[in-house]
Amino acid sequence: MDIFKAFEERYSHKEGFLPTEVPLTDLERIAKAGIAAPSGVNRQTVQLIILPNRDALAPVCAVAPTIGLETAPAAIAVLTDRTITPADAFNFEKEDYSAAVQNMLLAATALGYVSLWLDSPYFDPEKERQARAALSAPDTHRLWAVLPIGKPSVTGSRREKLPFEQRVTVL
Amino acid sequence: MDIFKAFEERYSHKEGFLPTEVPLTDLERIAKAGIAAPSGVNRQTVQLIILPNRDALAPVCAVAPTIGLETAPAAIAVLTDRTITPADAFNFEKEDYSAAVQNMLLAATALGYVSLWLDSPYFDPEKERQARAALSAPDTHRLWAVLPIGKPSVTGSRREKLPFEQRVTVL
């Protein structure tokens, strides 16, 4: 898909998914796009865990159920490896994981799927810990988001965007 | 450009630029990609300032010169409007600006330019304030990064990336 079409078509799918399976090759292609994103000081802090089916997804969903995680046929969990990130101002975990997520949302769109940047369930440190355990991820990692991926069961609604002129200035 | 080609071709250009001008229509297309990125709670905190020529870029460059800002024919400054973001844990400025930057780096690549996620000059609060003043941006905004955009004067070197298996797990 042309990249400018992907920018336009991507939206946050907050509805349910069809049970149609997502081939592992597509999930790997999306993950490959994620790790192709830049990272601060090229530390490559982002770690991805592909959940290719309901069996893999169910324990993570159980920690904090949402319509997306309850119905999606697959997902990709987005973590950072904190052993390679300093705790000070030169910590780029948020930037790193956000750039990786954006690449994956675009890649999913280009392959005909919908997805969602689902981070809110993991703002609660205890839920984050439980979900990380369900993923068998080490204690040295932090879970930031889980992206449900699949075909939509209903057409999702796009959030309204402010006009270009209100967000971009030419100096 | 096919989106998967853009993921592969994008790299952090840390060298100089040719003086070849970038048409404003291309800069606006890149900015449009930036504001098409998702934002936390759809707050659309990101504000972009297009610097379409050296006259616009020079005062920003003077605050913290780098080879990119000294030679680039154009740039886009990336800010957030802090009047619409809470100061607490539900502040998504970094996620918002990072997703917007990633879209713009990909869009620039697709249009045949190179760019760089240049944030380090603005880690220093005083430099950030000075650069923001050079951009005539209000005090309620925060400057996160300036992306120099143009044709490279020399081929940039790509950072080496860890293999897929070290960053992606299938559960």
Side-chain angles (χ1 to χ4, degrees), chain A residues 16-150:
Chain A
F17 290 79
L18 292 176
T20 321
E21 283 181 25
V22 180
L24 183 58
T25 47
D26 280 357
L27 294 167
E28 288 180 336
R29 213 165 165 209
I30 294 166
K32 197 176 165 201
I35 61 169
S39 62
V41 204
N42 196 34
R43 284 200 201 103
Q44 302 175 69
T45 56
V46 172
Q47 289 281 320
L48 303 175
I49 301 177
I50 295 175
L51 309 169
N53 50 48
R54 291 297 320 164
D55 283 351
L57 235 171
V60 180
C61 176
V63 171
T66 69
I67 187 170
L69 296 183
E70 279 171 335
T71 57
I76 296 180
V78 187
L79 305 95
T80 49
D81 178 348
R82 309 204 109 174
T83 63
I84 50 175
T85 55
D88 66 8
F90 295 89
N91 177 304
F92 303 109
E93 282 172 288
K94 274 194 185 177
E95 290 88 340
D96 292 357
Y97 111 75
S98 299
V101 164
Q102 184 57 15
N103 267 16
M104 290 193 282
L105 297 176
L106 292 167
T109 303
L111 294 173
Y113 303 108
V114 296
S115 187
L116 176 66
W117 187 325
L118 186 65
D119 52 1
S120 56
Y122 316 109
F123 294 161
D124 171 353
E126 182 53 24
K127 295 276 184 197
E128 187 270 340
R129 195 196 59 73
Q130 288 171 15
R132 196 157 25 79
L135 290 162
S136 307
D139 283 344
T140 49
H141 285 27
R142 164 147 182 188
L143 174 66
W144 294 94
V146 178
L147 317 183
I149 297 167

Side-chain angles (χ1 to χ4, degrees), chain B:
Chain B
M1 182 185 283
D2 180 71
I3 192 167
F4 291 97
K5 187 158 189 273
F7 292 142
E8 289 302 315
E9 292 208 348
R10 183 215 57 80
Y11 75 96
S12 302
H13 187 71
K14 301 192 176 181
E15 314 293 333
F17 289 78
L18 292 177
T20 320
E21 282 181 25
V22 180
L24 183 59
T25 48
D26 280 356
L27 294 167
E28 288 180 336
R29 214 167 164 204
I30 294 166
K32 197 176 164 201
I35 61 169
S39 62
V41 204
N42 195 34
R43 283 200 202 103
Q44 303 174 70
T45 55
V46 171
Q47 288 281 321
L48 303 175
I49 301 176
I50 296 175
L51 309 169
N53 50 48
R54 290 298 319 163
D55 283 351
L57 234 170
V60 179
C61 176
V63 171
T66 70
I67 186 169
L69 296 183
E70 280 172 334
T71 58
I76 296 180
V78 187
L79 305 95
T80 49
D81 178 349
R82 310 204 108 174
T83 61
I84 49 175
T85 54
D88 67 8
F90 295 89
N91 177 304
F92 303 110
E93 282 173 288
K94 272 194 185 177
E95 290 88 340
D96 292 356
Y97 111 74
S98 299
V101 165
Q102 185 57 14
N103 268 16
M104 290 193 283
L105 296 176
L106 292 167
T109 302
L111 295 174
Y113 303 108
V114 296
S115 187
L116 175 66
W117 186 325
L118 186 65
D119 52 2
S120 56
Y122 316 109
F123 295 161
D124 172 351
E126 181 53 23
K127 294 275 185 198
E128 188 270 339
R129 194 195 60 71
Q130 289 172 16
R132 198 160 20 83
L135 289 162
S136 307
D139 283 345
T140 49
H141 285 28
R142 165 149 180 188
L143 173 66
W144 293 94
V146 178
L147 316 183
I149 297 168
K151 302 282 185 185
S153 61
V154 292
T155 307
S157 59
R158 255 158 241 270
R159 251 57 62 197
E160 207 171 312
K161 295 273 187 184
L162 294 168
F164 184 85
E165 298 70 30
Q166 286 184 35
R167 300 191 62 196
V168 182
T169 312
V170 180
L171 206 67

